[in-house]
Amino acid sequence: MKHIFVLRVGHRKRRDPRVSTHVALAARAFGAEEMFFSGDKDPELVEKISKAVTNWGGEFKVQYVRSWKAFLNTWKSRGKSVHLTMYGVSACDTIEEIRLIDRDLLIIVGGQKVPRELYDLADWNVSVTNQPHSEVSALAVFLHMLNEGKEFEYKFKGAKIIVLPSARGKKVMESVL
Ligand code: SAM
């Protein structure tokens, strides 16, 4: 696999800003390059993540796409796609095959309602257990499995804030670059 990208489908500006922010933060922390989102246009979401990147480093981006379907059809010439859904086949049974692809990977998470067509367009429909939970937990667990835990070692270039792990309390190093 070359690079990891995330597509968050069906963002609702009024109801989802927190969940979509957390999808983006989880995507970034666990090694994705960029999150695309469809649904409502939301400059505040883009701005919030851009601020987080300025503080916490790296080059993660967020971009709005008008049509998830057109985006996914175009994606097919660039790489493969995995749709995370409680109805899919277990991540335990598919993760090795997915890890072995030598193209970019797009991980798709839904919102309140996922269009039926998405199930047909994605290369894989994968579950993180067959119980309902959330796009944030599904994405984090899937990326953790895909990375085999290597996200614990990631360093983010240009970070202004770095957490110093400590058994108690909060220790942070702040640079004024
Ligand atoms: N019933 C909805 C559906 O159409 O799948 C669930 C919506 S859930 C609030 C939002 C998103 O979380 C889903 O679109 C999916 O991407 C993700 N999700 C929730 N549970 C999951 C699971 N067990 N495995 C994989 N993804 C899951």
Side-chain angles (χ1 to χ4, degrees):
M1 192 178 44
K2 285 186 178 156
H3 298 287
I4 302 168
F5 297 81
V6 170
L7 170 63
R8 195 265 197 273
V9 171
H11 168 69
R12 298 165 303 173
K13 190 172 160 43
R14 284 178 169 221
R15 302 182 69 164
D16 294 331
R18 199 169 144 83
V19 178
S20 296
T21 299
H22 288 180
V23 170
L25 292 176
R28 173 188 169 274
F30 288 77
E33 309 272 324
E34 186 162 359
M35 180 184 89
F36 304 97
F37 70 100
S38 70
D40 295 342
K41 217 172 185 174
D42 191 348
E44 283 164 35
L45 172 63
V46 178
E47 177 67 14
K48 206 180 281 176
I49 300 305
S50 158
K51 275 190 187 153
V53 171
T54 303
N55 284 329
W56 294 93
E59 294 183 355
F60 186 80
K61 292 182 197 69
V62 176
Q63 204 184 130
Y64 176 71
V65 294
R66 205 167 49 82
S67 158
W68 66 264
K69 201 162 131 191
F71 179 80
L72 193 49
N73 279 319
T74 309
W75 183 267
K76 290 199 176 290
S77 59
R78 174 173 176 181
K80 297 278 191 184
S81 58
V82 183
H83 168 220
L84 298 182
T85 165
M86 62 188 273
Y87 304 105
V89 291
S90 173
C92 299
D93 299 331
T94 47
I95 203 79
E96 278 175 30
E97 182 190 344
I98 294 168
R99 202 183 289 125
L100 284 178
I101 64 166
D102 63 352
R103 307 182 69 198
D104 286 346
L105 181 68
L106 182 69
I107 303 169
I108 307 162
V109 294
Q112 191 60 21
K113 210 157 195 249
V114 176
R116 178 68 190 86
E117 280 172 292
L118 182 45
Y119 290 77
D120 299 324
L121 283 171
D123 292 302
W124 291 273
N125 289 291
V126 169
S127 62
V128 177
T129 79
N130 297 111
Q131 302 301 316
H133 43 97
S134 97
E135 44 276 57
V136 183
S137 49
L139 179 65
V141 170
F142 182 79
L143 284 173
H144 177 65
M145 291 172 76
L146 195 64
N147 297 330
E148 297 177 288
K150 292 194 182 69
E151 64 275 0
F152 280 82
E153 295 152 26
Y154 292 163
K155 304 272 183 269
F156 290 85
K157 255 192 180 165
K160 287 185 182 166
I161 311 172
I162 296 171
V163 171
L164 304 171
S166 74
R168 273 183 197 84
K170 298 178 185 175
K171 278 191 194 149
V172 292
M173 206 168 73
E174 293 191 36
S175 102
V176 280
L177 285 176

